Amino acid sequence: MKKKAGCLKVLLITVGCVVLGMAVLFGLFVLLLYIDDCIVHSEKSARERITDTTGIEIPIDAEMVFLDYNSPFQDPFSQYAVFSFENEPADWLAENDFSRERNTEFEEEFKEAEPYWLKEKVDAVSSEYYPDFENPYYWLNTEKITSGYLRVYFIYEPQENLLMIYNPN
């Protein structure tokens, strides 16, 4: 009888340790998700990702006003960022070969590439953070400058002084 009680005690301790271990692992997983969200959702991270992917640095005086992304645990890891300027960054636009001519092919490619959730999420914050192709805009096709990467869409709207960047990579 004492032997059975001892075995039961060992079994209960083992089960308790397993449950405790699983709880600790779950807690670490939740902590990692939180840390990941904090790191990826920062302005510094967004700027670095844009530069790493395209070679284009966003001017330091541009203020990030919107950022949304798909988690790195999802595929693909896409990012949509909007930056606001006090004045039109004419020199920066020229240095990076933005085009001012309307390009319906670019518009269609952007609309095809954007994820289904993007417009709804952006509109929930402010519809001005989503491109309005009816008004004048500057655009940049980074596929021309960064071989090996998928296209990253840059759209600058001068009437709002907003730069919208969709990075599907």
Side-chain angles (χ1 to χ4, degrees):
M1 189 72 169
K2 282 188 175 184
K3 192 172 183 179
K4 284 185 181 181
C7 288
L8 184 59
K9 195 175 192 181
V10 169
L11 179 64
L12 288 175
I13 290 172
T14 303
V15 169
C17 288
V18 168
V19 169
L20 181 61
M22 289 174 56
V24 168
L25 286 175
F26 179 74
L28 287 173
F29 178 73
V30 169
L31 180 63
L32 286 173
L33 286 177
Y34 175 74
I35 290 170
D36 172 67
D37 187 54
C38 291
I39 292 170
V40 172
H41 228 101
S42 74
E43 180 172 352
K44 181 179 182 228
S45 173
R47 286 175 179 269
E48 287 173 356
R49 186 152 184 271
I50 292 163
T51 301
D52 290 347
T53 305
T54 66
I56 296 173
E57 288 188 33
I58 306 303
I60 202 72
D61 62 333
E63 175 190 356
M64 188 168 70
V65 293
F66 182 83
L67 176 64
D68 196 72
Y69 70 96
N70 256 357
S71 167
F73 295 110
Q74 299 170 353
D75 191 34
F77 175 35
S78 63
Q79 173 182 289
Y80 185 77
V82 180
F83 294 88
S84 176
F85 292 84
E86 290 214 15
N87 300 303
E88 183 173 304
D91 292 341
W92 181 80
L93 293 166
E95 288 168 12
N96 289 293
D97 295 324
F98 275 72
S99 178
R100 180 134 195 187
E101 294 176 24
R102 183 171 184 177
N103 185 326
T104 55
E105 184 179 315
F106 175 83
E107 294 171 21
E108 289 304 314
E109 288 175 6
F110 172 83
K111 290 174 185 174
E112 288 175 15
E114 73 171 273
Y116 68 91
W117 49 263
L118 180 61
K119 185 166 182 3
E120 186 176 307
K121 276 190 169 183
V122 173
D123 283 347
V125 176
S126 175
S127 61
E128 72 179 9
Y129 296 159
Y130 188 82
D132 177 3
F133 292 118
E134 298 303 315
N135 289 319
Y137 64 91
Y138 291 83
W139 63 275
L140 178 64
N141 173 356
T142 61
E143 189 174 50
K144 294 178 183 171
I145 38 181
T146 56
S147 60
Y149 291 104
L150 296 175
R151 181 173 297 184
V152 176
Y153 301 86
F154 285 78
I155 302 156
Y156 177 76
E157 293 188 348
Q159 67 278 9
E160 300 291 338
N161 283 331
L162 291 176
L163 174 67
M164 293 156 246
I165 303 164
Y166 175 54
N167 186 347
N169 302 297

